Amino acid sequence: MKTEFCNTSRLTGFIFRRERVVSIAWIVILAFFCLVVPIAFENLYPSTADLTGLLDMLKSPTMAMMMGPIYTTGAGINIGQLNAAMMILYSATAAAIMNIFLVVRHSRRDEERGRLEVVRSLPVGRLSNLGSVLIVALAVNLVLALVLGLGLGALGVDGITLLDGLTYGFAVGVCGLFFAAAAALIAQIFASSKSAIGVSFIVLGVAFIMRAYGDVSSETVSRVSPLGLVLRVQASAGDYWWPIVALFIVSAAVAAVALYLNSLRDVDQGFIAARPGKKTGRIRTPLGLALRLERGTLIGWAIGMFAIGAAYGSVLGDLGAFLNASDIIKQMFASNAAMELAPQFTAKILSMYAIVSAIPSLIILNKLRSEEIRGRAEQILARPVSRYRLLAAFLGIAAVTGVAMLFVVALGYYAAGYSVAPQLADLALTLRSSLIYIPAVLCTCALAAFLLGFFPRAQIINWIYLFVSFVVVYLGDILKMPVWLKRLTLYGNIPRIPIEDVRVWIMIVMIAAAAVLAAAGFKGFRERDLGA
Amino acid sequence: MPILETTDLTKRFGRLTALDKVSISVNQGEIYGFIGPNGAGKTTTIRTLLGILQATEGGASVFGKDAWKNAVEIHTRVAFVPGDVNLWSNLTGGEVIDFFVSLRKKHDKARRASLIKMFDLDPSKKCRTYSKGNRQKVALVAAFASDADLYILDEPTSGLDPLMEQVFQECVGEVKKAGKSVFLSSHILSEVEKLCDRVSIIREGRIVETGTLSELRHLTRVSMNIATKTPVEGLAQMAGVHGVTENKGVVSFTVDSSELGAVVERVSKYGVTKLESMPPTLEDLFMRHYNLDANGGAAANGGNRR
């Protein structure tokens, strides 16, 4: 046993050294959001009355699906409870993403790139690398839990004691640890880092959807999902630690299985046997190549978006009951009292997933950049293929994908909605609520093309912009963010039909901007040195 | 008219000058060797010729057309093998070859099959699982399966075993027989000696020598081992004789090719019992150019390959 883990501590130190920037950046950014939001809440909702007003809205199925159930101690709600309800789920999801990347980066990807081979040629045990990665993950999550916990506890915000803060922090940390262990396990089964990351994200997606469905319809389903389970700590309300302990034990078991599988297999192999592939190919054009390369992304995202749409659509039935139960709620939720609740719910959900729809588009355009850096674009362009044609292939697929995602999420939403509450489901309206975001999605793609043409190293700007847009659209109302901030995002400018009127000129301006950005992007991509 | 030509080609990356007034020209039907140490600017030159990079100053033209502006048009008649072949990990070698050859109008199915056989490549494996040599084979098959007029090859045999190097040399021979031109960058001198009609040596972004192999050999030295009945007097003082050493009666030295006649004449007077001469190799020439100013900074660091 000892030889299996030989030199683990040195390897751990080495991974820490390679990780120091990325993990610290993740923790700092996560902590920033988690600590700023409760302060903002305190400033925005100074009185108990303000908070109680919110409570009814928070108890709606929409909110339960988006953020999880709300836990309170008495009739009212305090800042801590509001914060826990709004933030734990998303903090835990972010921690999960951080851990998936962390673990796959140092396990399967190092192996795939042949780095592990060099390490293994040294006096290092067979399980040392995976063991070190798991130790690093444990440490990173512990630091994250303590930073969040102590930070929140030190804020002195109403309703967050040190214990409340630590409960929140450790709920997030243990969720991260679970996904680290899960990713380690998945990385043993699949032989490429791409599949390992893909499948890990599918697991995360399933956990999210199970929780969304469970929080409205079934407590058991929610508890099976790790994301649902960590919400059951009821931070600032009950501060139960059993979900943390339970998830920690599960994580340890999953990690043990991962180590066991690692000891069984050969380097570079997975448990899913590689079949011989095609001897000849049918890819004829750059467009065909881009489609083939991104096939997995496209199918995976389409299924995911349909599923998430369906999960939200399935609440329409509960929404009907909820609506009839209370007139006050109806008033609370609707800024326009004449409106029905269902279309509003639809518009709110689809506005959020419109932003998510742009993610696969950005992934596809980023792919072109990595083709360039890795020298593969060079091999295509050394043949009679113009740079315009290459960029057009990727940009075209990105744009069509974004639009298709809007369509698919709406379709999933409608299909599930129709099956539970036919009288509330409206296909035309659902599609319109989603497809109205087409100009914003196109603009996002065009911005990516523009950056690719002129500032190829600055693709991150687009990701940050999209992330900020999500925060503003998601939290803007409840954080009472100024309107101009919303106007700065593409998505905040799109009217949420049917709540708001369609402003045609905004659509026209956005599409024109997209055309100009894209055209400039083509020009820049043609004129610059590749690989720069 | 040359098929490929650069005139005072200069490329700067920020403050680093990667190419400094590089002028080369390749004629129709010629195999042109482009040699130099790592980081000398071979790949940068090729990237400029392919229109991947834009020249800072000077010009690069292929088939009489501007390499940057008319890249696509030029590439209909060019085949390229990169030095560092990176492929799509989730596609098979066969898929990649077919994609590459189908981007060009003229390609030959039977030729593809015979090349795969010659290079002993398994096209059904995912590129992820290929070794460096096998990735190189994929690029070579794709290049030679397409009917091009100019082959630009950037260290095409790196990672290939000697058998496969042989196959590669046969392919180049066939191409030459068909009257096509080849621009071959390499640091494997035996390969260049075997294949190339003319050679340029690049070092730190500058062309230091250009010519046919026999022209360049004037600059090289012949190694000799001799034994004589009586010791040769004043050998070390003769013009063009370098590095005289003696071991068990055998005297070893090198002599400039131009002085060879005089040295042999002198030595023969002392009763030769043994005379061995090693022909000048490109290696010697190459080594001499490396060492020209050994203190003046080693070759620029690592090129711009990722």
Side-chain angles (χ1 to χ4, degrees):
Chain A
M1 200 62 188
K2 206 177 164 200
T3 60
E4 297 285 329
F5 287 100
C6 176
N7 262 327
T8 298
S9 60
R10 273 181 175 269
L11 266 183
T12 308
F14 184 57
I15 293 177
F16 268 123
R17 166 130 183 86
R18 287 170 62 200
E19 257 312 303
R20 66 198 188 285
V21 177
V22 182
S23 284
I24 291 174
W26 269 97
I27 291 175
V28 167
I29 292 168
L30 248 173
F32 173 78
F33 278 99
C34 289
L35 298 182
V36 157
V37 169
I39 296 172
F41 281 145
E42 198 171 47
N43 291 328
L44 291 167
Y45 304 102
S47 74
T48 322
D50 294 328
L51 282 169
T52 316
L54 272 179
L55 187 57
D56 286 328
M57 188 195 81
L58 289 171
K59 280 184 171 166
S60 74
T62 324
M63 288 300 177
M65 289 212 80
M66 275 166 38
M67 297 170 313
I70 175 115
Y71 296 106
T72 55
T73 37
I77 179 172
N78 61 30
I79 298 287
Q81 289 153 359
L82 173 66
N83 183 54
M86 297 289 290
M87 294 298 293
I88 289 190
L89 176 63
Y90 286 92
S91 315
T93 307
I97 293 171
M98 168 183 91
N99 277 280
I100 290 171
F101 283 125
L102 169 79
V103 168
V104 176
R105 189 162 55 234
H106 292 289
S107 57
R108 195 44 99 165
R109 202 176 65 176
D110 271 5
E111 195 170 329
E112 188 176 83
R113 298 261 163 100
R115 294 176 196 142
L116 210 54
E117 202 173 354
V118 185
V119 173
R120 281 281 297 274
S121 70
L122 302 166
V124 156
R126 248 193 296 279
L127 297 177
S128 299
N129 188 67
L130 192 60
S132 313
V133 177
L134 290 167
I135 291 171
V136 170
L138 181 69
V140 167
N141 287 304
L142 185 67
V143 170
L144 176 66
L146 287 173
V147 167
L148 293 185
L150 299 176
L152 284 167
L155 282 181
V157 169
D158 170 45
I160 309 182
T161 62
L162 184 59
L163 176 65
D164 297 332
L166 287 172
T167 309
Y168 180 119
F170 275 82
V172 171
V174 79
C175 186
L177 186 67
F178 171 81
F179 279 96
L185 177 61
I186 290 163
Q188 304 315 309
I189 298 170
F190 293 90
S192 80
S193 62
K194 215 176 155 181
S195 331
I197 286 182
V199 174
S200 300
F201 271 92
I202 290 173
V203 171
L204 178 62
V206 169
F208 194 91
I209 290 169
M210 277 170 69
R211 180 217 56 80
Y213 170 81
D215 283 347
V216 177
S217 312
S218 160
E219 179 71 12
T220 319
V221 172
S222 275
R223 287 185 181 195
V224 173
S225 158
L227 286 173
L229 189 63
V230 295
L231 295 178
R232 269 64 194 169
V233 295
Q234 307 192 12
S236 294
D239 288 335
Y240 301 118
W241 279 62
W242 65 263
I244 295 172
V245 174
L247 197 54
F248 182 83
I249 293 169
V250 172
S251 306
V254 172
V257 175
L259 284 168
Y260 175 67
L261 290 185
N262 192 26
S263 74
L264 292 184
R265 71 181 179 85
D266 290 337
V267 171
D268 279 340
Q269 301 296 310
F271 282 92
I272 294 182
R275 292 159 292 149
K278 294 179 192 160
K279 286 195 170 154
T280 57
R282 284 177 305 160
I283 304 166
R284 293 276 171 272
T285 58
L287 184 71
L289 177 75
L291 265 178
R292 172 66 181 77
L293 293 176
E294 293 306 309
R295 195 172 62 185
T297 310
L298 295 178
I299 296 173
W301 273 85
I303 294 171
M305 291 299 273
F306 188 88
I308 201 112
Y312 283 100
S314 67
V315 209
L316 272 183
D318 299 288
L319 200 66
F322 177 72
L323 182 68
N324 296 332
S326 162
D327 282 344
I328 307 159
I329 289 166
K330 201 168 168 182
Q331 264 179 358
M332 280 299 308
F333 202 75
S335 51
N336 180 351
M339 288 298 304
E340 285 283 336
L341 189 53
Q344 265 211 51
F345 175 76
T346 308
K348 172 91 183 160
I349 296 296
L350 293 177
S351 71
M352 283 180 49
Y353 283 93
I355 301 178
V356 178
S357 292
I359 295 176
S361 303
L362 287 191
I363 291 176
I364 290 167
L365 282 162
N366 276 6
K367 175 77 180 173
L368 178 54
R369 174 67 183 156
S370 78
E371 291 293 283
E372 183 191 333
I373 296 171
R374 305 237 166 268
R376 293 187 291 248
E378 180 178 311
Q379 291 176 64
I380 299 172
L381 293 170
R383 296 179 161 80
V385 172
S386 71
R387 295 192 189 181
Y388 291 141
R389 196 170 153 208
L390 188 63
L391 177 55
F394 279 85
L395 182 58
I397 292 176
V400 171
T401 302
V403 174
M405 291 304 144
L406 291 175
F407 188 75
V408 167
V409 73
L411 218 57
Y413 181 87
Y414 171 77
Y418 184 80
S419 68
V420 294
Q423 74 283 3
L424 286 176
D426 179 340
L427 180 60
L429 189 67
T430 308
L431 284 177
R432 276 176 59 208
S433 297
S434 190
L435 295 181
I436 189 137
Y437 285 92
I438 288 176
V441 168
L442 293 182
C443 239
T444 304
C445 294
L447 179 61
F450 176 81
L451 290 172
L452 199 61
F454 289 96
F455 309 99
R457 293 178 191 193
Q459 283 293 329
I460 188 76
I461 290 175
N462 213 353
W463 286 106
I464 294 171
Y465 185 47
L466 198 68
F467 176 72
V468 170
S469 301
F470 188 85
V471 172
V472 170
V473 170
Y474 170 61
L475 289 175
D477 293 341
I478 206 145
L479 288 180
K480 298 184 184 167
M481 284 180 189
V483 176
W484 61 263
L485 198 59
K486 201 172 138 188
R487 293 282 173 249
L488 281 183
T489 71
L490 289 169
Y491 295 83
N493 279 304
I494 301 276
R496 287 181 194 170
I497 48 174
I499 316 165
E500 295 165 4
D501 292 331
V502 179
R503 281 170 308 220
V504 178
W505 67 269
I506 285 186
M507 304 291 170
I508 293 171
V509 167
M510 241 183 237
I511 288 176
V516 170
L517 281 172
F522 274 103
K523 184 84 182 140
F525 190 64
R526 171 67 184 91
E527 295 299 324
R528 73 176 170 85
D529 283 350
L530 281 194
Chain B
M1 191 188 69
I3 285 249
L4 178 160
E5 191 169 31
T6 68
T7 41
D8 289 342
L9 177 65
T10 301
K11 177 68 189 172
R12 278 189 280 271
F13 297 106
R15 266 178 298 172
L16 175 87
T17 303
L19 298 179
D20 188 6
K21 300 203 167 146
V22 168
S23 297
I24 43 180
S25 93
V26 180
N27 298 316
Q28 166 85 47
E30 193 171 50
I31 301 186
Y32 196 93
F34 193 48
I35 60 178
N38 294 329
K42 299 190 294 290
T43 301
T44 305
T45 306
I46 286 176
R47 285 193 175 153
T48 316
L49 286 167
L50 288 169
I52 306 283
L53 301 177
Q54 189 173 20
T56 315
E57 281 156 30
S61 66
V62 181
F63 306 128
K65 294 179 186 115
D66 185 280
W68 173 257
K69 285 191 201 125
N70 304 310
V72 178
E73 202 185 333
I74 291 168
H75 296 173
T76 53
R77 296 166 59 197
V78 169
F80 167 59
V81 173
D84 194 2
V85 183
N86 230 313
L87 302 171
W88 297 273
S89 56
N90 57 342
L91 299 185
T92 64
E95 282 180 292
V96 171
I97 291 170
D98 285 343
F99 169 60
F100 280 160
V101 299
S102 66
L103 289 175
R104 201 186 314 276
K105 285 194 191 76
K106 285 192 284 182
H107 58 269
D108 187 342
K109 275 225 161 129
R111 180 103 182 104
R112 172 197 188 272
S114 73
L115 282 166
I116 284 180
K117 211 169 160 200
M118 278 163 72
F119 279 107
D120 193 23
L121 175 75
D122 179 355
S124 66
K125 278 177 141 178
K126 299 268 182 190
C127 293
R128 172 172 68 236
T129 64
Y130 282 141
S131 64
K132 179 168 167 40
N134 277 326
R135 291 201 301 270
Q136 203 75 34
K137 289 180 192 174
V138 170
L140 286 167
V141 170
F144 285 114
S146 42
D147 183 19
D149 293 326
L150 171 66
Y151 292 77
I152 297 181
L153 313 173
D154 191 359
E155 298 183 10
T157 53
S158 55
L160 291 190
D161 62 44
L163 272 175
M164 291 303 141
E165 271 179 45
Q166 191 69 42
V167 174
F168 165 76
Q169 286 166 8
E170 281 166 29
C171 287
V172 173
E174 279 172 38
V175 162
K176 185 184 163 68
K177 226 182 278 165
K180 311 295 176 63
S181 318
V182 178
F183 185 76
L184 173 68
S185 126
S186 181
H187 54 217
I188 300 172
L189 297 148
S190 58
E191 182 176 282
V192 175
E193 273 195 297
K194 238 179 262 175
L195 294 172
C196 296
D197 304 313
R198 283 203 301 148
V199 171
S200 275
I201 299 176
I202 186 170
R203 184 169 173 276
E204 292 179 13
R206 273 187 287 265
I207 299 289
V208 288
E209 209 75 65
T210 300
T212 63
L213 283 177
S214 54
E215 277 167 6
L216 294 187
R217 285 210 171 107
H218 286 300
L219 301 165
T220 59
R221 294 171 186 166
V222 181
S223 306
M224 301 198 81
N225 298 325
I226 59 166
T228 46
K229 285 176 184 154
T230 50
V232 182
E233 284 163 25
L235 181 64
Q237 283 77 44
M238 283 188 76
V241 173
H242 310 267
V244 180
T245 56
E246 202 209 310
N247 183 22
K248 291 175 191 163
V250 178
V251 179
S252 305
F253 56 92
T254 60
V255 54
D256 290 351
S257 303
S258 52
E259 300 297 325
L260 190 59
V263 171
V264 172
E265 201 177 311
R266 173 79 165 265
V267 166
S268 61
K269 293 173 187 161
Y270 296 85
V272 177
T273 55
K274 174 182 174 175
L275 181 103
E276 288 173 1
S277 78
M278 269 74 76
T281 60
L282 205 48
E283 203 112 31
D284 302 328
L285 182 72
F286 200 51
M287 297 304 279
R288 278 174 64 194
H289 277 293
Y290 270 8
N291 298 328
L292 271 181
D293 58 342
N295 306 328
N301 35 15
N304 59 346
R305 193 175 298 147
R306 269 159 256 257

